[in-house]
Amino acid sequence: MSISQTIDLPVTTPGTVRSLKVRRYGRPGARPKAYVQAGIHADELPANLAAHHLAGLLEAADRAGSVLGEVVLVPLANPVGLSNVIFNDHQGRHHAQSGQNFNRGWPNVAEAVAEAVGPHLGADARANGDLVRRAVAEELDRLVAGNEAESLRLVLMKLAADADFVLDLHTDAQAELHLYVDPGQWPGAADLAGFLGATVVMLCRNSGNDPFEETVSQPWWLTAERAPQAKLEPPFTVVVELRGEGDVSDDLARRDADALLHFLAHRGVIAGGGDAPPAFDGIAAPLEATEIIKAPAGGIVVYRKGLGDWVSAGEAIADIVDPLGDGEGARTPVLACTNGRLFARARQNLAWPGAPLAKVQGREPLPGRVPGRLMYD
Ligand SMILES: [Zn+2]
């Protein structure tokens, strides 16, 4: 049977308290350890619903004695953002008080860890792993959060930092199922992509501004880079984008939870991993090859292309209509700059110059797409 834990977040408003509910399956401290969190962007509810269904599956597995390692699940990772309802509209992506995106600015201890453990690493991957995990924990213990969002990140990071598998469940605005994966985990992560039926996998280690999954794995990758002679096995970290924010259904959430359970079994966290993953037949390419198509003008977006459509460089994916204009002169075409698969679109149809409207995954890195500046907010 699972163990439930409640972690109170620091009080920021007198008279209120918020807390995280953490569920633990298997034997505490057993390996491999998987950490799964859902909805750090609090308006991405398909992620929370999938985690809810996953909790039921994990509970059954635990009662049957099938959890070989340990699974730590946070089905609702952001109670701060979930409460952020303004004028009957929920805004869960940014921290209302500071304006910070909840999935940027995670504590990044890579430099300090690489420096501390580099000289002490040897040929034993397990011993090296213990050293890195201990150094990460020590560095995280030194940090002091400056506001409510930072407190939340630090608490979650401490739960995740020593895991072997870290799955961060999100949702795009309107989208097909897609993944962000560290290039060092590809093509190994094709099993997860196959189980989930992902159509696009973006490979990235440093997208910019320290999103959660990258700050979990970067201490390992940087240490490996600085000490190439040492044997290290960095954790498997991934962002799973469970389609679009409106794709809320028990059927989809059950299917996603089942796929995640199959992945955990396939990787030995849970018993019974005999099922071969379906072949991944989507497109896997660097995040530098992902075009974020932005609006060239303000107006009403009328899409010509839908999710899953293949587009060519120079092809119009949408028009922006100025309702005050006349005839064809009222329309500004929105052009793709690469050949690829359109896999995500904006939630709203009001455009302003520079507004991100769609994502197209190509195969070749695009000019202007450079590590460290690959995310748009
Ligand atoms: Zn998100």
Side-chain angles (χ1 to χ4, degrees), residues 166-172 175-183 185-205 213-214 236-243 256 259-260 263 267 278 280-288 290 343-344 359 361 375:
V166 174
L167 291 90
D168 191 18
L169 307 186
H170 285 249
T171 303
D172 209 309
E176 299 184 297
L177 202 154
H178 58 279
L179 308 178
Y180 293 83
V181 171
D182 189 280
Q185 303 290 354
W186 192 260
D191 57 350
L192 179 63
F195 283 126
L196 283 163
T199 59
V200 168
V201 173
M202 289 169 285
L203 306 173
C204 187
R205 184 166 298 169
E213 92 288 2
E214 291 184 6
F236 178 100
T237 56
V238 61
V239 167
V240 181
E241 299 276 355
L242 295 171
R243 307 177 197 82
D256 294 338
L260 294 172
F263 168 75
R267 294 299 186 105
F280 167 69
D281 60 359
I283 176 169
L287 187 57
E288 288 89 333
T290 310
F343 66 98
K359 294 175 189 162
Q361 186 63 40
M375 309 300 266

Side-chain angles (χ1 to χ4, degrees), residues 39-44 93 101 103-104 168-172 239 241 245:
I40 187 62
H41 285 144
D43 44 7
E44 301 176 358
R93 187 173 180 82
N101 183 322
N103 197 27
R104 305 288 184 271
D168 191 18
L169 307 186
H170 285 249
T171 303
D172 209 309
V239 167
E241 299 276 355
E245 290 169 13

